Amino acid sequence: MNILYIGKGNGDGMEQLWRLNASLNEIVWGKWMIVLMLGTGAWLMIRCRFLPLMHARLILRKTIGSLRGTKNKQDGITSFQAVSTALAGTLGVGSVIGVATALTIGGPGALVWMWISAFVGMMSKYAEVVLAIYFRKRQADGSYLGGPMVTLEYGCHMRFAGVLFAVLCLFASFGIGNITPVNTITMSVRTYIDIAPIWIGLATALIIAFVMVGSAKRIMRFNELIVPLISILYVAACIYLILRHGDRLAGVMEAVFQDAFQFISIGGGISGFMITKAIHYGISRGVFSNEAGMGSSPISHAAVAHGNAVEQGFWGIFEVFFDTIVICTLTALVLLSSGLNVADMDGITLAVACFEQGFGKLGGILFAFSIIAFAIPSILGWYYYAQECIRYLFTVKWVLPCYQCLFLILLVLGSVLDLHHVWELADTLNALMSIPNLISLVILQGIVVKCTREYFKRQ
């Protein structure tokens, strides 16, 4: 059976769809979106008195420090399960392949803009989580429902915007949470095994269907087990590879900053185009990586059974720090210090080549399977977000089974799409989803500041 990848000229209808998405992507990721995203985070940072910097020790103590030597026995969703699910939505696909894609397309300077988006994104994520806990609603079964859709309806009194966010989240679950990770799985497997993409998609769909049949608690328990283990192994492997090429780090950092701010020394022309690409892919992949400003991960935080709004917000800050400042930076340094030509490879090929260079062919195989181990929880995490949006939008029970069938079908189809188009589609959906969420942060910033100040008065 010879099944080709769809997306490179296989049909006028598909080509028109990709061209339409490219045009929309240029609009939604234009300068005003970048100003709104960075400006909102920066303003919240100022209003909350640089919370991540001034209270870093407290944040660590209330997040990772709270897990030390204890076993959480509380009923319902725990904070760590919520964080694991939120990280599952991005680690591997966003923080590894997303970084590789940003560097191959936007250049090494994209890393600086990922850092900038993460720094202000800590406050965007913090505010999202605080508001999600503040406005969440208890359901008839005793569980909580919250997130930007609930915040927009009950906090901003904009039900239409809440519905719009939930609908956009459902569509995004087919991009960032479905097609992108399954496409990544397919590329990883096909690097070593010559198998038709559709069979990989079918196998992935079967695994997801098995975990999907059950409660939200089951999904979060799965992510709680897999995400920390794979993260630790990946961090250790990256540190080894960076130390192996330690003599190149100074040159790498020089290239990163020169590329990021090239327009300062060389005005206009090609450099202007390149800085636009560095900013665009740095910030868009940064958002793909940590989801700060998108409003997706607060949906899982809102489900925490006994969550304090501010302390749960600390977990949001930790997510962005660990995801982008730690994982993304380690990934970028591994890629850039490898000596391989970043511009001549696509994201996943480059990442596999780096691990093969450091650990041999076995290292490449282990990396490919680690990406699969990241991607499966990512798919489940986004399925959970979509499930909660369906709970918000519909009261009839037949909608969720219909969505599940469509979700599984698209997992199979996503395995045969062209990777470049898939990433562009995910970028567009991310930006569209961010707009109503960022509006809620601007309108309700006073509540975030009030909750923060009251918390520290009690401390």
Side-chain angles (χ1 to χ4, degrees):
M1 182 184 290
N2 182 21
I3 300 178
L4 300 176
Y5 276 95
I6 298 171
K8 290 189 176 180
N10 295 344
D12 292 337
M14 186 64 71
E15 279 299 316
Q16 290 176 1
L17 176 64
W18 295 134
R19 283 198 294 270
L20 175 63
N21 178 69
S23 300
L24 183 59
N25 187 277
E26 289 181 6
I27 296 172
V28 296
W29 274 114
K31 60 182 179 180
W32 294 114
M33 181 62 180
I34 291 173
V35 169
L36 176 62
M37 187 160 286
L38 295 184
T40 301
W43 180 240
L44 287 166
M45 182 73 74
I46 293 170
R47 291 215 61 192
C48 291
R49 301 174 183 177
F50 294 88
L51 175 62
L53 297 178
M54 302 303 295
H55 299 282
R57 291 180 64 183
L58 176 65
I59 292 170
L60 286 174
R61 182 160 58 86
K62 292 292 185 179
T63 53
I64 295 300
S66 67
L67 303 176
R68 184 175 51 198
T70 62
K71 185 176 180 180
N72 199 329
K73 297 181 179 179
Q74 70 183 55
D75 296 327
I77 305 300
T78 68
S79 294
F80 190 65
Q81 288 171 343
V83 172
S84 297
T85 299
L87 287 172
T90 56
L91 286 176
V93 179
S95 305
V96 180
I97 307 305
V99 173
T101 307
L103 296 178
T104 55
I105 301 176
L111 177 61
V112 172
W113 293 100
M114 292 185 82
W115 290 338
I116 292 172
S117 71
F119 178 68
V120 298
M122 289 181 190
M123 285 311 301
S124 299
K125 180 70 76 73
Y126 169 79
E128 292 169 355
V129 175
V130 168
L131 293 173
I133 297 288
Y134 190 89
F135 289 106
R136 67 183 180 175
K137 300 296 179 183
R138 186 179 279 275
Q139 304 301 291
D141 61 359
S143 65
Y144 286 102
L145 176 65
M149 61 282 192
V150 178
T151 299
L152 283 161
E153 178 174 354
Y154 295 99
C156 302
H157 305 290
M158 299 165 61
R159 175 163 171 76
F160 172 77
V163 171
L164 177 63
F165 174 87
V167 171
L168 289 171
C169 185
L170 287 177
F171 279 108
S173 72
F174 296 131
I176 184 176
N178 183 310
I179 298 174
T180 305
V182 76
N183 199 276
T184 302
I185 291 172
T186 301
M187 295 286 287
S188 300
V189 173
R190 281 173 58 83
T191 302
Y192 296 99
I193 303 174
D194 186 16
I195 183 174
I198 198 161
W199 295 116
I200 302 171
L202 284 168
T204 305
L206 288 174
I207 294 170
I208 296 301
F210 176 76
V211 183
M212 185 187 287
V213 178
S215 64
K217 184 79 172 176
R218 183 176 181 179
I219 294 174
M220 290 197 169
R221 281 176 179 165
F222 180 87
N223 290 340
E224 181 184 28
L225 292 172
I226 298 297
V227 172
L229 175 62
I230 301 300
S231 298
I232 292 170
L233 294 175
Y234 181 76
V235 167
C238 284
I239 291 174
Y240 168 78
L241 292 175
I242 292 168
L243 293 176
R244 196 167 180 264
H245 301 126
D247 57 318
R248 299 175 183 171
L249 285 181
V252 166
M253 297 309 298
E254 182 180 356
V256 165
F257 284 100
Q258 280 185 352
D259 186 69
F261 302 106
Q262 190 176 11
F263 70 103
I264 294 177
S265 57
I266 310 172
I270 295 176
S271 67
F273 173 71
M274 291 305 295
I275 184 60
T276 301
K277 289 180 71 177
I279 294 174
H280 172 92
Y281 286 100
I283 294 176
S284 66
R285 293 297 186 265
V287 171
F288 193 104
S289 162
N290 55 52
E291 297 180 9
M294 277 182 61
S296 50
S297 60
I299 296 174
S300 64
H301 286 282
V304 173
H306 306 288
N308 173 279
V310 171
E311 291 184 358
Q312 202 62 36
F314 290 166
W315 279 107
I317 293 173
F318 170 78
E319 280 173 30
V320 178
F321 175 81
F322 181 73
D323 187 279
T324 304
I325 304 300
V326 177
I327 300 292
C328 289
T329 300
L330 289 175
T331 300
L333 293 179
V334 166
L335 302 180
L336 294 173
S337 66
S338 66
L340 299 173
N341 194 333
V342 173
D344 289 346
M345 301 183 187
D346 61 48
I348 195 160
T349 303
L350 174 63
V352 170
C354 288
F355 273 74
E356 282 190 346
Q357 183 190 65
F359 297 102
K361 193 171 183 68
L362 178 60
I365 295 173
L366 291 175
F367 171 78
F369 280 97
S370 69
I371 289 299
I372 295 170
F374 273 131
I376 296 295
S378 177
I379 296 169
L380 289 169
W382 270 92
Y383 165 74
Y384 172 77
Y385 298 153
Q387 176 183 279
E388 294 300 279
C389 286
I390 289 172
R391 278 216 299 167
Y392 170 78
L393 290 170
F394 304 100
T395 55
V396 291
K397 294 183 178 180
W398 57 265
V399 177
L400 182 59
C402 290
Y403 171 83
Q404 290 172 333
C405 291
L406 181 59
F407 191 83
L408 295 172
I409 290 170
L410 286 177
L411 274 176
V412 178
L413 295 178
S415 64
V416 299
L417 289 174
D418 175 59
L419 186 64
H420 171 72
H421 291 313
V422 169
W423 280 103
E424 293 296 333
L425 177 62
D427 277 347
T428 302
L429 292 170
N430 291 355
L432 290 173
M433 197 172 151
S434 299
I435 294 171
N437 177 58
L438 290 171
I439 290 172
S440 73
L441 298 186
V442 172
I443 293 174
L444 301 173
Q445 58 180 296
I447 292 177
V448 177
V449 175
K450 177 186 173 185
C451 289
T452 304
R453 290 178 179 174
E454 288 179 351
Y455 175 83
F456 282 103
K457 282 182 181 178
R458 291 195 299 271
Q459 288 294 307

